[in-house]
Amino acid sequence: MAFKRERNGVLFCGVACLAATLLIVLRYSGPASSTLELSAPAMRSAGHLARIPAALSNPGLRGVQFTSGVPQSLRRSVPNRSGGFSSLQRCSSNVGVNAAGDEEYVVDRNYNVVITGSTKGVGYALAEKFLEAGDSVVICSNEPQSVQDEVVSELASRFGADKVRGTVCDVGKGEDFDKLVEFTKSELGDIDMWINNAGGNLYRYGPLFEMEDRIIQATVDVNLVGTLLGCKRAINVMKDQPRGGHIFNMLGQGQDGAPTANVADISNVGIHLMSPGIVKTDLLMADKTIKVDKVKKFIINCLAEPAPDVAEELVRGARVVPLKFEKENLDGQKVPFLTPDKVLGKFAARVFTGKNRGRWVEEETYLPFTDF
């Protein structure tokens, strides 16, 4: 009887995991539209706003992206690159090294890239991979010692002092963004890519009602206000550049999101999303409940990947975005790492072979919801 219960438990968990994976696939890979549809009710935007307080305690929260609520009557045509007018199209597939059609794009240029929150974690890994590709990078953080003495010196020793610069920027302060823009323009000239990566929760976890007011304020300043202030400054710079520019807002905690095309309301500036999925960083692992929660252990061991591995694929995809924007008028592109097919493969490998069990966090059971 004991063996039968264990066997039934394994079968049940296997079916449950596959069913959950199927739901994820259906959720993330719905029918693609060739043109941007912006007629969602305004209440949907209210729903996004309503989720912000609940999201404040999410580990790895990196930013907020508003994705709907623009009435149909406000859809606009913009000048295209052939001199006529057309509606900006939304990319019909994710952008990445394996995305259909991306093989035709050969990146034959180098970019000037600004990355906020780039002294550690995903931001640092992105800077490293852009530098490896031959691009020039400005990193920034609100920690002066970390920026100037540690990260810049280390990266400059590997890639050259002419390729990497660093400065201080508190993303919750508009005046710091102004200084960041002036610093970048004086050092590099044009800004081709701006990545709003800074985010976090000051390593504090717990329900909203237990949080100190200063933690809530700081979390909103970094994740929401910082993203909006960064977008504003980047747009103001890029709209006057001959080649325009591209802004990437980071999603966190494996969140999904749909980029809204033409948010910048400027024909030569694209605003896109990067979705790193679940990344093993100090911020993620600072959640003490991971050590006692079977489900969190299971998910993190199954899906979390090291920052350098994630950044390598994100950078490869991001460097294709400007080409797709120029040649196909594709705005609002999404560069994902943890795609539905990867989720399916990782869960299936874990359920049927035990792969990655205890990879990052020690697990006492083979599958969650079981005692064996």
Side-chain angles (χ1 to χ4, degrees), residues 66-296:
F66 296 96
T67 60
S68 62
V70 180
Q72 178 75 18
S73 59
L74 295 183
R75 290 181 64 184
R76 64 173 66 238
S77 295
V78 298
N80 61 32
R81 288 156 189 78
S82 61
F85 282 80
S86 63
S87 295
L88 275 173
Q89 291 185 316
R90 176 177 169 183
C91 185
S92 59
S93 65
N94 291 329
V95 179
V97 292
N98 297 319
D102 282 351
E103 295 83 358
E104 64 185 271
Y105 292 99
V106 178
V107 181
D108 58 355
R109 65 182 67 164
N110 294 124
Y111 300 106
N112 294 333
V113 185
V114 174
I115 308 173
T116 65
S118 46
T119 59
K120 53 190 172 184
V122 176
Y124 175 86
L126 288 171
E128 191 175 41
K129 296 304 177 181
F130 274 113
L131 288 166
E132 287 180 2
D135 302 317
S136 298
V137 177
V138 169
I139 63 174
C140 66
S141 167
N142 60 354
E143 302 169 334
Q145 187 72 27
S146 176
V147 172
Q148 300 295 347
D149 296 341
E150 297 176 22
V151 180
V152 172
S153 297
E154 190 270 328
L155 291 175
S157 68
R158 294 161 54 195
F159 302 103
D162 61 323
K163 285 292 186 179
V164 58
R165 280 85 163 173
T167 188
V168 180
C169 180
D170 182 340
V171 298
K173 299 178 179 178
E175 57 269 26
D176 274 25
F177 270 121
D178 292 334
K179 294 176 183 177
L180 173 61
V181 167
E182 290 304 315
F183 175 82
T184 304
K185 290 172 65 177
S186 65
E187 293 289 327
L188 301 182
D190 288 354
I191 301 174
D192 298 310
M193 295 186 189
W194 179 293
I195 302 176
N196 287 311
N197 170 75
N201 57 4
L202 301 185
Y203 296 87
R204 302 299 177 89
Y205 294 86
L208 176 64
F209 65 87
E210 292 180 354
M211 281 193 176
E212 301 173 48
D213 289 351
R214 65 179 184 86
I215 300 299
I216 295 174
Q217 185 65 59
T219 302
V220 172
D221 284 346
V222 173
N223 293 291
L224 178 58
V225 177
T227 299
L228 296 176
L229 291 178
C231 284
K232 175 184 176 181
R233 266 62 180 190
I235 292 169
N236 278 323
V237 171
M238 293 174 176
K239 66 183 178 64
D240 296 325
Q241 296 178 167
R243 203 161 71 183
H246 297 271
I247 302 164
F248 295 86
N249 293 327
M250 295 289 287
L251 293 170
Q253 203 195 14
Q255 300 278 349
D256 179 46
T260 301
N262 203 26
V263 169
D265 200 24
I266 303 294
S267 63
N268 66 341
V269 179
I271 297 186
H272 319 282
L273 290 182
M274 277 189 179
S275 179
I278 303 176
V279 187
K280 183 183 179 293
T281 61
D282 292 341
L283 180 62
L284 177 68
M285 303 308 292
D287 183 0
K288 296 180 180 179
T289 63
I290 291 174
K291 296 181 179 180
V292 297
D293 190 313
K294 291 182 180 180
V295 176
K296 285 185 178 180

